[in-house]
Amino acid sequence: MQTVHTREELAQLDAQDPLRRFKNRFALPESVIYLDGNSLGALPHGAAERAAQVVTAEWGQGLIRSWNEAGWFELPLVLGDKLGQLLGANPRETAITDTTSLNLFKALASALRTQKSDAPQRRVIITERDNFPTDIYIAEGLADLVNSLSQETGVPYEVKLIDDEASLRAALGDDTAVLALSHVNYRTGSMWDMNQITAAAHDAGALVIWDLAHAAGAVPVDLNGADADYAVGCTYKYLNGGPGSPAFIWVNARHHDRFWQPLSGWWSHNAPFEMAEHYTPANDVRRFMCGTQPVTSLAMIEVGLDIALEADMDAVRAASLELTDLFIELVETRCADHGLELVTPREHAQRGSHVSFRHEHGYEIMAALIARGVIGDYREPEVLRFGITPLYLSRTDIWDAVEILREILHTGDWQREEFTVRNAVT
Ligand SMILES: *Cc1c(COP(=O)(O)O)cnc(C)c1O
């Protein structure tokens, strides 16, 4: 591929790019280049109107009738099936509900319960040391719960952390109950080969849970193609669902009628409004829900989902790879000798849609960038993270962002006192 070196050439390529028409579907501030859509996606036009409709008409006028008449009750699965089209899911395998942390708890508990029946000696949950912290904490919390309540004096449940593919393959064994990995790593952007790793885990007798938080809407995913067991993920990142919008859970149909997940609230009951004395789980993915849904937030997700479905994931992926390549090339050429070290794999097959660089003054540099309207984020240790979202970022945005980074590094502007103050959320 020919390397493009001028802003003018990039602007010409942008002008011919069919994905450019999606930028005006989002309400982005004029003076901002937004490189954090991997953490909180942008506001799509129509989402505020959808929320207002839920509040004013459906709630205000419809009142409780709206659970039936406005389709509120069906939303988790209706939206789940829409999202499922991006994930290689079959109908009624995906629900949008709860948070990623909660959904992971439910998936892990269900997987352990299934293994307890099929292969009781399997007591190890394998996950990554470099995983998003909540994924490790939830696994630790579940292991602690089952161990503390167990009457047995046998082998306790345990969380084992792996560092790379070699240690993963070495760790998979007769004692492995479940492997829980993030498809795209939140910090480095590196991506596991879902097909190969799922097959390796299955060969070892383990079940597999994929956390798609940084993958859904960013890279093509085919859960049934990979024969995965469970998946969870966020809708507020690349799917542009809004701050704290409900997460999703996907469960391969072969696991639907096995065991309960322990957050067996009434929304997961087979007939919630029978108000039965005892629990009977639903026989599809509804079994993985818990209680009443946050309807306003849930309803808004549809706006971002419709845009994602319209855009075609393969085109988005191709653009993401082009823009991430461009970003890496420009930073390495125009910001050379300033101590930035790429931590994201260069191989296309091994990375998602964000690019991370390490710098010993990463926090201050990111704070200086944000002050100039280039919004990325910072992750310990010393990592500057830049999310590349082709629906609303162009080649010239990437050029302009790197120029501002170059100026900040060149002038030492990041050394100002104000940039050393740490915010609660980074
Ligand atoms: C963002 C993210 C989460 C967030 O979980 P919440 O329950 O929404 O706070 C979980 N896992 C991964 C891998 C993430 O990147």
Side-chain angles (χ1 to χ4, degrees):
M1 201 181 76
Q2 197 198 336
T3 310
V4 178
H5 288 293
T6 69
R7 193 179 189 284
E8 291 66 36
E9 286 170 272
L10 295 174
Q12 272 172 21
L13 289 172
D14 280 342
Q16 302 155 11
D17 187 338
L19 279 181
R20 288 294 84 245
R21 70 193 164 90
F22 286 99
K23 183 164 188 174
N24 62 17
R25 304 285 290 275
F26 294 90
L28 285 158
E30 275 299 321
S31 53
V32 158
I33 300 175
Y34 195 56
L35 303 178
D36 217 357
N38 57 318
S39 197
L40 174 62
L43 167 67
H45 287 300
E49 291 77 1
R50 180 74 184 102
Q53 180 190 23
V54 170
V55 172
T56 310
E58 297 178 6
W59 175 22
Q61 300 303 308
L63 294 163
I64 200 159
R65 294 169 291 193
S66 287
W67 283 106
N68 293 311
E69 291 170 11
W72 289 356
F73 188 64
E74 299 296 331
L75 268 184
L77 267 65
V78 169
L79 298 185
D81 282 345
K82 271 200 175 184
L83 170 61
Q85 295 174 46
L86 295 175
L87 305 179
N90 294 321
R92 296 186 89 77
E93 285 184 336
T94 314
I96 299 191
T97 186
D98 297 335
T99 66
T100 299
S101 303
L102 284 169
N103 288 338
L104 187 61
F105 180 85
K106 293 182 278 189
L108 277 169
S110 169
L112 290 189
R113 186 70 186 78
T114 300
Q115 290 285 29
K116 173 78 182 175
S117 157
D118 295 351
Q121 80 284 3
R122 295 181 175 274
R123 305 235 162 151
V124 175
I125 300 168
I126 299 178
T127 190
E128 304 157 86
R129 192 179 316 281
D130 196 24
N131 209 338
F132 190 80
T134 209
D135 296 52
I136 299 174
Y137 303 162
I138 289 283
E140 288 177 336
L142 179 61
D144 178 68
L145 176 72
V146 292
N147 290 333
S148 64
L149 296 181
S150 172
Q151 303 289 320
E152 301 171 24
T153 50
V155 184
Y157 282 86
E158 172 195 347
V159 179
K160 201 181 263 182
L161 302 178
I162 56 93
D163 293 289
D164 50 26
E165 183 164 343
S167 61
L168 166 56
R169 287 181 184 271
L172 286 169
D174 290 347
D175 59 352
T176 311
V178 51
L179 171 65
L181 296 177
S182 291
H183 187 29
V184 176
N185 183 278
Y186 80 103
R187 187 191 287 117
T188 63
S190 70
M191 181 166 74
W192 291 102
D193 183 321
M194 184 181 284
N195 291 347
Q196 275 184 25
I197 298 296
T198 303
H202 284 173
D203 285 349
L207 296 171
V208 185
I209 303 174
W210 288 102
D211 187 330
L212 304 179
H214 286 270
V219 299
V221 173
D222 186 358
L223 289 165
N224 277 305
D227 197 32
D229 297 291
Y230 303 84
V232 300
C234 307
T235 62
Y236 55 76
K237 294 176 178 171
Y238 289 94
L239 295 168
N240 307 302
S245 58
F248 62 87
I249 181 162
W250 170 86
V251 182
N252 191 311
R254 68 171 169 263
H255 299 305
H256 284 183
D257 60 359
R258 298 267 349 238
F259 297 99
W260 308 358
Q261 51 84 13
L263 301 181
S264 45
W266 68 310
W267 277 57
S268 67
H269 193 278
N270 194 39
F273 284 90
E274 281 181 6
M275 302 290 174
E277 183 180 355
H278 291 295
Y279 183 70
T280 310
N283 54 15
D284 56 21
V285 75
R286 286 179 299 138
R287 175 182 299 219
F288 289 84
M289 306 210 342
C290 181
T292 307
Q293 306 301 307
V295 175
T296 316
S297 187
L298 186 58
M300 276 201 293
I301 294 171
E302 188 159 23
V303 183
L305 277 181
D306 283 341
I307 297 174
L309 287 170
E310 199 184 314
D312 175 49
M313 256 336 286
D314 290 331
V316 170
R317 175 61 171 166
S320 154
L321 289 171
E322 187 188 335
L323 293 177
T324 45
D325 279 344
L326 177 67
F327 186 73
I328 293 168
E329 178 202 312
L330 291 176
V331 170
E332 289 187 337
T333 52
R334 301 188 68 79
C335 307
D337 305 324
H338 284 294
L340 286 164
E341 178 204 344
L342 182 70
V343 295
T344 303
R346 287 175 203 273
E347 276 290 310
H348 285 178
Q350 289 171 22
R351 71 169 194 253
S353 199
H354 69 267
V355 176
S356 299
F357 283 92
R358 194 167 177 152
H359 191 286
E360 63 174 315
H361 297 292
Y363 186 87
E364 293 88 335
I365 294 167
M366 183 52 72
L369 275 170
I370 293 170
R372 295 279 306 271
V374 177
I375 304 182
D377 63 22
Y378 172 80
R379 286 291 175 268
E380 294 291 349
E382 301 181 354
V383 172
L384 297 120
R385 201 169 65 149
F386 302 94
I388 307 295
T389 49
L391 293 180
Y392 49 86
L393 284 173
S394 63
R395 296 166 187 82
T396 48
D397 289 330
I398 299 297
W399 174 278
D400 293 343
V402 175
E403 279 308 280
I404 293 173
L405 175 61
R406 190 179 65 80
E407 274 172 43
I408 286 169
L409 291 168
H410 193 68
T411 59
D413 185 50
W414 57 269
Q415 292 170 11
R416 273 155 50 189
E417 181 74 29
E418 66 198 88
F419 299 137
T420 61
V421 182
R422 299 259 166 159
N423 284 323
V425 176
T426 59

